[in-house]
């Protein structure tokens, strides 16, 4: 059975594909100036100023234990949500629309930091796309990182 969902977008971080949660506002931009925070964990790159709001930007490759970005790769920043809930992450390419996702009967082995934040997965053209709850994930890593 193929889901007839439209309007789903996915983005890549390393070998992992993530779906943007339905109803979540997001925007993508070239990497702006990021102000580093002294003493911050290495996966918290710092803050960006997005229309007057300070937004934290995370490098999930480090959090997830994935390989570092190759020199020459042009990552982008994707910001989820708005206002004081806004959070940015480095992504590998522009999010792309995904239709015809087939549900996976079981999730593959994932980095343990994703436990509880990925409920289901889908497959399309051999790539696995994970249903990612970014809000609960960031609440947890912020708590764990302080």
């Amino acid at each position: 059975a193929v889901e007839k969902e439209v309007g789903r977008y996915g983005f890549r971080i390393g070998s992992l594909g993530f779906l943007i949660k339905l109803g979540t506002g997001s925007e993508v931009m070239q990497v702006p100036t990021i102000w580093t925070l002294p003493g911050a964990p290495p996966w918290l790159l710092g803050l960006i100023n997005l229309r007057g709001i300070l937004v934290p930007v995370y490098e999930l490759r480090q959090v997830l234990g994935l390989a570092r970005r190759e020199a020459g790769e042009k990552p982008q920043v994707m910001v989820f949500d708005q206002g004081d809930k806004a959070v940015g992450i480095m992504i590998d390419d522009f999010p792309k629309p995904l239709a015809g996702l087939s549900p996976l009967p079981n999730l593959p082995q994932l980095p343990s930091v994703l436990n509880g934040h990925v409920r289901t997965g889908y497959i399309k053209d051999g790539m696995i796309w994970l249903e990612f709850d970014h809000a609960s994930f960031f609440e947890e890593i912020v708590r764990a990182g302080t």
Side-chain angles (χ1 to χ4, degrees):
V2 170
E3 293 208 352
K4 295 278 187 272
E5 246 175 44
V6 293
R8 296 307 305 266
Y9 281 81
F11 61 92
R12 278 187 326 100
I13 298 175
S15 58
L16 296 175
F18 294 92
L19 291 171
I20 299 171
K21 198 172 171 185
L22 281 172
T24 298
S26 63
E27 64 181 285
V28 177
M29 65 196 76
Q30 297 302 318
V31 179
T33 301
I34 299 176
W35 288 278
T36 57
L37 298 169
W43 38 262
L44 175 54
L45 298 178
L47 299 172
I48 61 172
N49 182 337
L50 183 63
R51 295 182 292 281
I53 305 285
L54 292 179
V55 177
V57 177
Y58 296 90
E59 176 54 271
L60 291 190
R61 279 179 175 244
Q62 287 188 0
V63 177
L64 298 170
L66 301 174
R68 296 181 85 85
R69 213 168 249 103
E70 299 286 322
E73 281 188 87
K74 296 267 189 266
Q76 299 181 56
V77 172
M78 182 162 72
V79 176
F80 293 107
D81 298 324
Q82 297 177 338
D84 62 354
K85 289 187 170 27
V87 61
I89 60 171
M90 302 295 281
I91 62 173
D92 292 354
D93 54 9
F94 205 80
K96 62 183 185 180
L98 296 165
L101 293 166
S102 300
L104 284 174
N106 300 299
L107 284 174
Q109 183 70 39
L110 297 173
S112 60
V113 71
L114 289 175
N115 289 348
H117 309 293
V118 172
R119 301 210 175 11
T120 52
Y122 299 89
I123 191 160
K124 178 175 169 71
D125 301 329
M127 176 84 182
I128 291 176
W129 297 93
L130 303 171
E131 190 75 62
F132 179 52
D133 183 345
H134 71 277
S136 69
F137 176 80
F138 287 110
E139 281 171 24
E140 184 173 306
I141 67 166
V142 166
R143 268 198 317 270
T146 52

